Amino acid sequence: MKTVKIAILGHGNVGGGLCEILQMNRQLIEERIERKIHVSYILVNNVTKERPWPTLGAKLTDSFDEIVNDNSIEIVIEALGGIEPAASYMRSALEAGKHVVTANKAALAANYPALLEKAQENNRQLLFEASVGGGIPALTAISNPLQGNEFTEVMGILNGTTNYILSKMWDEGLSYDEVLADAQAKGFAEADPTADVEGIDAANKLSILMALAFHVYVHPEKIPTEGISKITLKDIENAKKHGEKIKLIGHGYWEADENGQEILKYHVKPMKFTSEHPIFGVDNEYNAIYINGNAVGQLMFYGSGAGPLPTGSAVLGDLLSIARSL
Ligand code: NDP
Ligand code: HSE
């Protein structure tokens, strides 16, 4: 059986979750893809730190050069977070002839055209299912079984942390700060949770979703974005009195202007929903991604939008699809 050697950049929630699944499901994975997966390196900041996740016999290193210069590494998994150095590492890995899988929507959304071009130039795959919707396989669905559709709209709850915070405030009357700490402890939040609560993470994901669904790239900084940091327990209680829930929504859609020309509109902002709307029932760290295609009609994907194992599952799916193709 061929052995595929890989390196994982990052051993936090996502890199660690991936290692946990590789350990838990190793036998069935290797039987299914008829390849052995060997994790040669894990890149971290601090090689001496005690780690809650398995390291699978990999060498822990703080040197990306060691990884990129090792010709035996065929696939690099990027799960560092932040735009740099993550984007540069992905570029270098592709230039060195390695396939790349990333969960990092910030680095991807900010550099989407350049990274895709780099992958194409080097005839390597760049896969990123985990970057939007955690464990939900919506991106693969849009790019494969649904690729024959013209999409008119993408909309959804794209951030697990904020949905978790809003749900706990509504259900249990807990304060914003208490729940944010809980979301961080559960591994849903970004290293800097400002990106979650200010809607920046949802804007990154909307940028990627629109690029795939509409073939139009909008830099995330160009997306009008409002987060949930100004929402108080009083706002939540008022909404509850009216039978409403507040959800942070990312929305991209085509709308005709006064001359009948279709214009792409987009925003991230908190919105209210009543129980008649399917979004109302999407709680905690769960995400929902709704799309409307001119052939398939309306579809909504629902599932865990954050957390080590759901996200690890999406990363692993991309990894195995590349490994099988080698
Ligand atoms: P964490 O903060 O939990 O982990 C980051 C890891 O990367 C740590 O192991 C850290 O090392 C390492 N690291 C960070 N910067 C560097 C660097 N410059 N050089 C070497 N190592 C570095 O983040 P997450 O695992 O939560 O997130 C990783 C990525 O996945 C992010 O892009 C995030 O947006 C994305 N993502 C996260 C999800 C989630 O639910 N958490 C879901 C979907 C995507 P050390 O351990 O030594 O500190
Ligand atoms: N911080 C992100 C969230 C992780 O809460 O949705 C998943 O992308």
Short mmCIF file of all heavy atoms in Angstrom, two decimals, residues 10 23-24 59 63 78 87 94 129 137 146 151 171-173 191 217-218 256 272 291 314:
data_model
loop_
_atom_site.label_atom_id
_atom_site.label_comp_id
_atom_site.label_asym_id
_atom_site.label_seq_id
_atom_site.Cartn_x
_atom_site.Cartn_y
_atom_site.Cartn_z
N GLY A 10 -0.14 23.75 12.23
CA GLY A 10 -1.07 24.07 13.31
C GLY A 10 -1.56 22.82 14.01
O GLY A 10 -1.88 21.81 13.37
N GLN A 23 -6.41 9.30 14.14
CA GLN A 23 -6.14 8.22 15.10
C GLN A 23 -7.38 7.33 15.27
O GLN A 23 -7.29 6.10 15.22
CB GLN A 23 -5.74 8.83 16.44
CG GLN A 23 -5.46 7.80 17.51
CD GLN A 23 -4.78 8.42 18.71
OE1 GLN A 23 -3.57 8.65 18.72
NE2 GLN A 23 -5.55 8.72 19.74
N MET A 24 -8.54 7.98 15.43
CA MET A 24 -9.79 7.26 15.72
C MET A 24 -10.21 6.36 14.54
O MET A 24 -10.66 5.24 14.73
CB MET A 24 -10.86 8.33 15.99
CG MET A 24 -12.25 7.88 16.24
SD MET A 24 -13.22 9.31 16.85
CE MET A 24 -13.61 10.17 15.33
N LYS A 59 7.03 14.79 13.70
CA LYS A 59 8.02 15.68 14.29
C LYS A 59 7.38 17.05 14.49
O LYS A 59 6.88 17.65 13.53
CB LYS A 59 9.23 15.80 13.35
CG LYS A 59 10.27 16.74 13.88
CD LYS A 59 11.50 16.81 12.99
CE LYS A 59 12.50 17.77 13.62
NZ LYS A 59 13.62 18.05 12.74
N SER A 63 9.74 25.25 12.23
CA SER A 63 10.37 25.72 11.00
C SER A 63 9.56 25.29 9.78
O SER A 63 9.54 24.10 9.41
CB SER A 63 11.80 25.15 10.91
OG SER A 63 12.27 25.26 9.59
N GLU A 78 -3.09 23.38 6.00
CA GLU A 78 -2.86 24.67 6.67
C GLU A 78 -3.99 24.94 7.64
O GLU A 78 -5.14 25.14 7.24
CB GLU A 78 -2.73 25.79 5.62
CG GLU A 78 -2.26 27.11 6.20
CD GLU A 78 -3.39 27.91 6.79
OE1 GLU A 78 -4.38 28.19 6.08
OE2 GLU A 78 -3.29 28.27 7.99
N ALA A 87 -0.91 32.66 4.37
CA ALA A 87 -1.05 32.76 2.91
C ALA A 87 0.29 32.53 2.22
O ALA A 87 0.37 31.82 1.20
CB ALA A 87 -1.64 34.11 2.53
N LEU A 94 2.62 25.37 -2.58
CA LEU A 94 2.17 25.10 -3.96
C LEU A 94 3.34 25.21 -4.93
O LEU A 94 3.51 24.38 -5.83
CB LEU A 94 1.04 26.07 -4.35
CG LEU A 94 -0.29 25.85 -3.61
CD1 LEU A 94 -1.21 27.07 -3.76
CD2 LEU A 94 -1.00 24.59 -4.11
N GLU A 129 -12.78 22.96 1.87
CA GLU A 129 -14.15 22.71 2.34
C GLU A 129 -14.37 23.23 3.76
O GLU A 129 -15.44 23.77 4.08
CB GLU A 129 -14.45 21.20 2.27
CG GLU A 129 -15.84 20.83 2.71
CD GLU A 129 -16.94 21.50 1.89
OE1 GLU A 129 -17.12 21.12 0.74
OE2 GLU A 129 -17.60 22.42 2.42
N PRO A 137 -20.63 20.01 4.20
CA PRO A 137 -19.94 19.94 2.88
C PRO A 137 -20.63 20.79 1.80
O PRO A 137 -20.93 20.31 0.71
CB PRO A 137 -19.99 18.44 2.55
CG PRO A 137 -21.17 17.93 3.28
CD PRO A 137 -21.42 18.81 4.47
N LEU A 146 -23.84 20.54 -7.90
CA LEU A 146 -24.71 21.67 -8.25
C LEU A 146 -24.09 22.59 -9.30
O LEU A 146 -24.64 23.65 -9.61
CB LEU A 146 -25.02 22.50 -6.98
CG LEU A 146 -25.71 21.74 -5.86
CD1 LEU A 146 -25.80 22.60 -4.60
CD2 LEU A 146 -27.11 21.30 -6.28
N PHE A 151 -26.78 30.36 -9.79
CA PHE A 151 -27.27 30.68 -8.44
C PHE A 151 -27.70 32.14 -8.36
O PHE A 151 -27.02 33.03 -8.89
CB PHE A 151 -26.18 30.40 -7.40
CG PHE A 151 -25.87 28.93 -7.28
CD1 PHE A 151 -24.69 28.41 -7.80
CD2 PHE A 151 -26.76 28.07 -6.67
CE1 PHE A 151 -24.42 27.06 -7.72
CE2 PHE A 151 -26.49 26.71 -6.57
CZ PHE A 151 -25.32 26.20 -7.10
N ASP A 171 -31.76 31.52 25.16
CA ASP A 171 -32.27 30.36 25.91
C ASP A 171 -32.10 30.51 27.41
O ASP A 171 -32.95 30.13 28.18
CB ASP A 171 -31.48 29.08 25.52
CG ASP A 171 -31.84 28.59 24.14
OD1 ASP A 171 -32.89 28.99 23.62
OD2 ASP A 171 -31.04 27.81 23.58
N GLU A 172 -30.91 31.00 27.82
CA GLU A 172 -30.57 30.93 29.25
C GLU A 172 -30.40 32.29 29.91
O GLU A 172 -30.06 32.36 31.08
CB GLU A 172 -29.28 30.09 29.42
CG GLU A 172 -29.47 28.65 28.94
CD GLU A 172 -28.18 27.85 28.90
OE1 GLU A 172 -27.28 28.13 29.70
OE2 GLU A 172 -28.09 26.93 28.06
N GLY A 173 -30.57 33.36 29.14
CA GLY A 173 -30.43 34.71 29.69
C GLY A 173 -29.01 35.00 30.17
O GLY A 173 -28.80 35.84 31.05
N ALA A 191 -8.74 32.60 17.28
CA ALA A 191 -7.73 32.94 18.28
C ALA A 191 -8.00 34.36 18.80
O ALA A 191 -7.92 34.63 19.99
CB ALA A 191 -6.34 32.83 17.67
N TYR A 217 -15.52 37.44 -7.39
CA TYR A 217 -14.75 37.57 -6.16
C TYR A 217 -14.94 38.97 -5.58
O TYR A 217 -14.69 39.96 -6.26
CB TYR A 217 -13.26 37.31 -6.43
CG TYR A 217 -12.38 37.68 -5.26
CD1 TYR A 217 -12.45 37.00 -4.06
CD2 TYR A 217 -11.48 38.76 -5.35
CE1 TYR A 217 -11.66 37.35 -2.97
CE2 TYR A 217 -10.69 39.11 -4.27
CZ TYR A 217 -10.78 38.40 -3.09
OH TYR A 217 -10.00 38.75 -2.01
N VAL A 218 -15.38 39.01 -4.33
CA VAL A 218 -15.51 40.29 -3.62
C VAL A 218 -14.57 40.20 -2.40
O VAL A 218 -14.71 39.29 -1.57
CB VAL A 218 -16.96 40.51 -3.12
CG1 VAL A 218 -17.07 41.85 -2.40
CG2 VAL A 218 -17.95 40.44 -4.29
N ALA A 256 -32.21 43.31 -9.64
CA ALA A 256 -32.23 44.18 -10.82
C ALA A 256 -32.27 45.64 -10.38
O ALA A 256 -33.01 45.99 -9.46
CB ALA A 256 -33.46 43.85 -11.67
N LYS A 272 -33.62 39.63 12.39
CA LYS A 272 -34.59 38.93 13.26
C LYS A 272 -35.41 37.93 12.45
O LYS A 272 -35.77 38.21 11.30
CB LYS A 272 -35.53 39.96 13.87
CG LYS A 272 -34.86 40.78 14.95
CD LYS A 272 -35.83 41.78 15.54
CE LYS A 272 -35.13 42.67 16.54
NZ LYS A 272 -35.88 43.88 16.81
N ILE A 291 -29.05 28.10 -0.36
CA ILE A 291 -28.73 28.58 -1.70
C ILE A 291 -29.93 28.37 -2.62
O ILE A 291 -30.75 27.47 -2.38
CB ILE A 291 -27.48 27.90 -2.31
CG1 ILE A 291 -27.61 26.39 -2.29
CG2 ILE A 291 -26.21 28.32 -1.64
CD1 ILE A 291 -26.49 25.72 -3.02
N ALA A 314 -14.11 17.84 7.80
CA ALA A 314 -14.09 18.48 6.47
C ALA A 314 -12.67 18.54 5.91
O ALA A 314 -12.45 18.30 4.72
CB ALA A 314 -14.69 19.88 6.57
#
